[in-house]
Amino acid sequence: MSARQYFYLPRHHPSLDIITALQNHAGQRLGLSKSHSTLPVNYAESGSPSGRRPGAMEGASLAARTGQITRDAGAELAMRVKALGEIANAEESAALDSPGFTEEELMFFYEDILALPSSLEQSGQVTAEELEQRQIDEDLATIRAGDADAADLTFDLMKRSGLAIPEDMVASLLRVYASTGNVSKTEQVLVRYLDGPPTPQQRHFHIKSHLISTPTEGIPYSALELLHSYENQALPAPIQTYTSVITALFSSNSSLGRAQAWDLFSHMRYVAHATPDPTLYTLMIRACASPVNMRPSEPERALDLWTEMTVEHRLAPTAGAYDAVILACARSGKTTYVNEAFRLAKQMLDSHRDARGESAFKPSRRTYCALLEGAKRIGDLSRARWILAQMIATQSGTDTEAVNEEVMMHVFHTYASYRPPFNRNLVKSADPTQADNAPTTSTEVSPDVSQSPPQPTSVVSNESESAFTHIPPQSGTEVIHEVRILFDRILYESGLKNLSDPTDGGALPAEQKFKHVKLSSRLVNSYIAVHYRHAPFDDSRDLYRRVFTECQVPRTGRTYVEALERCAIARRGHERTMVLDFADEVWAEWQKLEDAGHENGRLLSGRIIERAHIAMIRVLALTNNLDRAMQHLRAFAARYSPSDVRIPTPRPAMRSTRTVLIGDRPLVRMTSNVEVPDDHVPPLIMFNDIEVLHHRLVARRSVANIKYIAWLSKSYEGALRARRAAALKLRPGEEVEEEFTARVEAPSG
């Protein structure tokens, strides 16, 4: 084989480029020119541009030069190979001496490599499933970020592109719109992106949007209509939807809403979910503590639901369920059910213990407040003091279970309803001249003294002694002393008062256990109520004038009403000489509040207005200001006419009592229209409310005023009876007839 043939390579062989690169690199290292660093391979190509072999005529000339070319090429090749070897050895030694890259540079290099798109992505070979999943992830991230409009636009593009929109993505978008109460957007999503009937979760969000769009304390009529519409389509909503709607009805602060909630509960068990879950059972048991009727509680119904949940359906009770049934029993105000509430609390702690003896439930602040509800209604101060001591002893650093305003309000109410066993009026005189003449065997007390309320005593006491002992206070003085210590401690920890010398005798801990008690109007009202019950009138009056300024809280309508009612029960003698001035002072402030309600269109409760006017009329009658009392009564009748009482409140269509099998209302009811009280009855006065004034007028023989009182009381009574009859005859959705709007005129003379 000739040298020419030995170095011949195809034109596009890969090795040709590699050899050429090596030649150029070696030439640059040795300082050679490009012409000297080129191998004879290119000569073979340049000598034969067409790629054919040389002919016979060229053989003689080539043969003459063959020997010389071979010697020159061999020498040059040996020299270049030697140079390449030296360069390789030099580079190897340099690499061993100092590395070309540090570890940090290598780490960055590998990260850059991993960040590069894969070869599949570079080549454009991404499947449709991967693209769709990637788009779904981006849409979910957009929805979670709260950008519902961008997600809606993306769904529209996906629908136009023919991509299927998953149900969970639609549900996520509905959740965003429903949480803001955007009904139009929610229904737009259901219409545009659903091909079939909505899923239970989607129906839940649809109804939830109507619930949230309803104003606070309003009845959600649209949500109820939509709920029954799904039922008529054989698509009942999930049970959590019924729970949300019933919760909204109970939160409406309306007797009509509470009655509709009970009807919806029975209707749900008939058409959708026969067995409620523990959450709904807890809600209905809690509702028994605030019943539809005028009773304070319905413990019998609460215990029936409790037995049905725990015994019949064997559902494990929760801490909330225990708190609900305890509250329902405690609010009844009957000793039997209050004791049952404490028994259930003991059962909650003892019946659910593990192998180590630890209870599954711990009493929370809600549990203690429920027990205090029962203690204050029966005046059980011993239990109230024990509950307060337990909360202080087990209080942690957080404010979730700490003593707060509601707890102290219940404690003060318990002090107010407590009857001390010691009555100073029943103590006989220690005069030695009367001791010999007094009978030693008789222990009876005259009926007049035994039936009179306990006389309050002076609040001056020996503060060096401990105010909190293991036994409750034995007199009104001790009650006031304990309450003042508690309230001063609250003011001290709130930063409104400085206590130089503590007067609790070390009974209260040194730590700040009342720092989470927020001063409010209802807390101050409960504190004053204790003084109304156990302190003299002048002390209560002075406290009323200064305590609201010290606590920096405003007076409310209940504040004025309770002050006037305290004046209305003033005892004979010194108290009745002081109550009129104080009553006039309170009444002037009450009139500003009442007039402001009329001007702003936000009237006070009719029952609160009644109590204020009745108390003021009684104060005027007790102080023999009969002319002022009659003027006050006539002014009340002119402002709140008996004719206004006759006009009934229109009844909504959902309260229809017609028996149907399909309709947009409950098919099964638990409350009748007779049992639902009317929340919109205007203020009125009955004869029992002004009986004291009537007796004083009879003693004076004021015939005209006596006739007026008789007419007014009968007018209110007849108007109330007519209102009730008209409300029962009134059909749902029907307007009030004109015959009920006629005015009632007072008799002349």
Side-chain angles (χ1 to χ4, degrees):
M1 179 180 300
S2 63
R4 183 186 181 98
Q5 294 176 348
Y6 181 83
F7 291 103
Y8 177 80
L9 293 174
R11 180 179 297 272
H12 300 291
H13 196 279
S15 301
L16 182 63
D17 297 335
I18 297 175
I19 295 175
T20 304
L22 290 174
Q23 292 176 353
N24 295 334
H25 181 70
Q28 294 174 1
R29 291 277 185 170
L30 298 175
L32 300 177
S33 63
K34 184 176 181 181
S35 59
H36 292 89
S37 63
T38 303
L39 291 176
V41 177
N42 292 333
Y43 170 78
E45 294 182 3
S46 61
S48 180
S50 61
R52 61 181 179 84
R53 293 180 179 274
M57 296 181 61
E58 299 174 357
S61 60
L62 291 174
R65 290 179 298 177
T66 300
Q68 184 66 27
I69 293 174
T70 302
R71 288 190 298 269
D72 295 341
E76 185 177 0
L77 180 61
M79 181 180 61
R80 291 181 178 179
V81 169
K82 182 179 179 181
L84 289 175
E86 294 176 355
I87 293 172
N89 294 332
E91 291 180 352
E92 182 178 0
S93 59
L96 292 176
D97 295 340
S98 61
F101 300 97
T102 63
E103 295 183 359
E104 184 177 359
E105 292 174 347
L106 289 176
M107 181 62 67
F108 290 152
F109 177 72
Y110 292 143
E111 289 178 356
D112 294 339
I113 293 178
L114 294 176
L116 293 176
S118 62
S119 60
L120 187 62
E121 293 179 349
Q122 289 180 351
S123 61
Q125 300 178 2
V126 180
T127 62
E129 291 78 4
E130 293 178 349
L131 284 175
E132 183 176 359
Q133 184 62 37
R134 189 182 304 169
Q135 184 65 36
I136 290 173
D137 296 339
E138 294 177 358
D139 294 340
L140 288 175
T142 303
I143 295 174
R144 294 189 186 100
D147 193 356
D149 295 335
D152 194 2
L153 179 61
T154 305
F155 286 177
D156 188 44
L157 295 176
M158 293 175 65
K159 184 178 180 181
R160 293 181 182 181
S161 303
L163 298 176
I165 303 176
E167 293 182 355
D168 56 346
M169 294 180 59
V170 177
S172 300
L173 183 58
L174 289 174
R175 181 186 294 106
V176 175
Y177 284 136
S179 61
T180 58
N182 196 335
V183 178
S184 60
K185 286 289 187 179
T186 303
E187 295 179 348
Q188 183 179 357
V189 170
L190 292 174
V191 172
R192 294 176 60 183
Y193 305 127
L194 292 186
D195 298 330
T199 62
Q201 188 180 19
Q202 294 169 355
R203 295 196 291 271
H204 171 71
F205 291 133
H206 189 193
I207 298 174
K208 182 180 178 181
S209 64
H210 285 264
L211 284 177
I212 298 180
S213 64
T214 304
T216 307
E217 298 185 358
I219 298 178
Y221 292 104
S222 61
L224 290 171
E225 183 179 356
L226 180 61
L227 179 66
H228 295 305
S229 176
Y230 275 125
E231 293 173 352
N232 296 335
Q233 301 174 24
L235 297 172
I239 193 170
Q240 60 264 30
T241 306
Y242 285 93
T243 303
S244 301
V245 176
I246 292 174
T247 303
L249 289 171
F250 280 131
S251 303
S252 62
N253 196 18
S254 168
S255 298
L256 184 64
R258 291 194 294 269
Q260 191 69 15
W262 282 105
D263 293 343
L264 184 60
F265 175 70
S266 59
H267 170 81
M268 179 208 70
R269 305 188 70 176
Y270 179 72
V271 301
H273 308 282
T275 304
D277 58 356
T279 304
L280 186 53
Y281 267 123
T282 301
L283 177 63
M284 303 312 295
I285 294 174
R286 173 62 179 79
C288 294
S290 302
V292 178
N293 49 34
M294 303 305 295
R295 290 187 294 177
S297 179
E298 291 181 335
E300 300 90 349
R301 176 182 285 185
L303 292 175
D304 288 343
L305 291 173
W306 174 263
T307 304
E308 179 183 336
M309 179 184 71
T310 58
V311 178
E312 295 183 10
H313 298 300
R314 298 183 181 277
L315 297 176
T318 61
Y322 270 109
D323 294 341
V325 69
I326 290 172
L327 180 63
C329 293
R331 278 191 177 177
S332 65
K334 299 179 181 179
T335 306
T336 303
Y337 289 111
V338 172
N339 294 333
E340 179 68 14
F342 280 89
R343 188 197 66 81
L344 288 170
K346 187 175 185 300
Q347 175 184 336
M348 179 182 70
L349 300 178
D350 296 341
S351 299
H352 303 277
R353 296 187 179 274
D354 54 12
R356 297 180 179 179
E358 298 180 358
S359 177
F361 303 111
K362 293 183 178 180
S364 62
R365 184 166 60 193
R366 185 176 300 177
T367 308
Y368 288 127
C369 288
L371 295 174
L372 287 172
E373 289 271 6
K376 76 178 185 180
R377 280 171 169 77
I378 63 175
D380 195 345
L381 185 57
S382 300
R383 283 175 170 172
R385 296 168 85 236
W386 174 81
I387 292 173
L388 180 60
Q390 288 292 322
M391 294 191 68
I392 293 176
T394 60
Q395 179 174 327
S396 59
T398 61
D399 59 343
T400 56
E401 301 299 331
V403 177
N404 65 347
E405 169 220 0
E406 183 181 3
V407 174
M408 296 308 301
M409 181 191 66
H410 292 319
V411 172
F412 289 150
H413 284 163
T414 309
Y415 276 102
S417 61
Y418 172 66
R419 293 180 177 272
F422 175 75
N423 188 354
R424 189 176 298 274
N425 291 337
L426 300 181
V427 178
K428 295 183 178 181
S429 176
D431 190 355
T433 59
Q434 299 180 0
D436 298 336
N437 300 328
T440 57
T441 58
S442 176
T443 58
E444 297 181 358
V445 182
S446 63
D448 296 338
V449 176
S450 62
Q451 294 178 3
S452 62
Q455 187 76 13
T457 57
S458 176
V459 296
V460 179
S461 61
N462 185 12
E463 298 189 359
S464 61
E465 300 178 357
S466 178
F468 295 91
T469 59
H470 65 282
I471 59 175
Q474 299 299 300
S475 64
T477 303
E478 296 180 4
V479 170
I480 295 299
H481 185 52
E482 283 193 6
V483 170
R484 284 187 174 181
I485 290 175
L486 290 174
F487 194 74
D488 289 345
R489 187 63 179 267
I490 294 174
L491 294 179
Y492 168 71
E493 296 189 8
S494 300
L496 299 178
K497 189 172 183 179
N498 295 325
L499 297 180
S500 57
D501 296 327
T503 59
D504 55 4
L508 295 178
E511 298 84 4
Q512 292 189 351
K513 297 295 184 178
F514 299 94
K515 61 181 179 181
H516 300 292
V517 178
K518 181 181 179 181
L519 292 172
S520 63
S521 298
R522 66 173 186 172
L523 178 64
V524 178
N525 289 338
S526 62
Y527 174 63
I528 297 179
V530 183
H531 290 72
Y532 288 157
R533 178 66 176 82
H534 299 285
F537 175 78
D538 50 355
D539 292 344
S540 304
R541 178 195 58 191
D542 297 340
L543 180 65
Y544 172 89
R545 291 173 175 172
R546 61 178 173 80
V547 68
F548 288 94
T549 305
E550 293 178 358
C551 298
Q552 302 176 2
V553 295
R555 295 183 176 94
T556 61
R558 184 175 293 274
T559 306
Y560 303 128
V561 169
E562 292 179 352
L564 291 172
E565 289 178 344
R566 174 61 182 90
C567 296
I569 59 173
R571 297 172 177 85
R572 295 179 180 178
H574 178 65
E575 281 193 3
R576 289 192 181 178
T577 61
M578 299 184 298
V579 294
L580 184 58
D581 295 337
F582 180 62
D584 290 337
E585 176 186 344
V586 175
W587 183 255
E589 298 177 355
W590 161 263
Q591 280 187 320
K592 296 178 182 179
L593 182 64
E594 186 178 1
D595 295 340
H598 280 273
E599 294 175 359
N600 300 333
R602 302 179 60 181
L603 299 178
L604 300 174
S605 173
R607 311 292 75 80
I608 292 292
I609 296 176
E610 287 176 7
R611 292 173 56 186
H613 284 271
I614 291 171
M616 189 61 190
I617 293 174
R618 183 180 175 88
V619 170
L620 295 174
L622 290 177
T623 55
N624 293 323
N625 291 276
L626 302 184
D627 294 337
R628 284 188 58 188
M630 289 303 302
Q631 292 177 3
H632 192 112
L633 183 61
R634 293 179 186 274
F636 177 84
R639 191 168 195 174
Y640 306 102
S641 174
S643 302
D644 299 336
V645 181
R646 295 173 57 90
I647 305 175
T649 304
R651 190 168 56 181
M654 66 179 182
R655 296 303 302 171
S656 176
T657 57
R658 183 180 179 182
T659 303
V660 294
L661 297 180
I662 297 177
D664 294 340
R665 58 182 178 83
L667 307 180
V668 181
R669 294 192 179 276
M670 294 185 66
T671 56
S672 63
N673 292 329
V674 180
E675 299 175 349
V676 181
D678 193 349
D679 297 333
H680 305 284
V681 179
L684 52 88
I685 291 180
M686 306 301 288
F687 180 78
N688 295 335
D689 301 329
I690 53 178
E691 188 175 2
V692 175
L693 177 60
H694 182 269
H695 292 338
R696 296 299 176 98
L697 292 174
V698 170
R700 182 185 286 190
R701 297 182 180 181
S702 180
V703 179
N705 291 331
I706 293 174
K707 289 183 178 180
Y708 180 81
I709 288 179
W711 169 84
L712 185 62
S713 59
K714 289 298 180 181
S715 298
Y716 278 119
E717 183 179 351
L720 189 61
R721 188 182 299 109
R723 180 189 182 95
R724 185 176 182 83
L728 294 177
K729 294 179 181 179
L730 197 64
R731 295 182 179 181
E734 185 179 1
E735 297 294 335
V736 181
E737 298 180 2
E738 296 182 358
E739 59 176 325
F740 298 109
T741 61
R743 300 286 300 179
V744 179
E745 300 295 338
S748 59

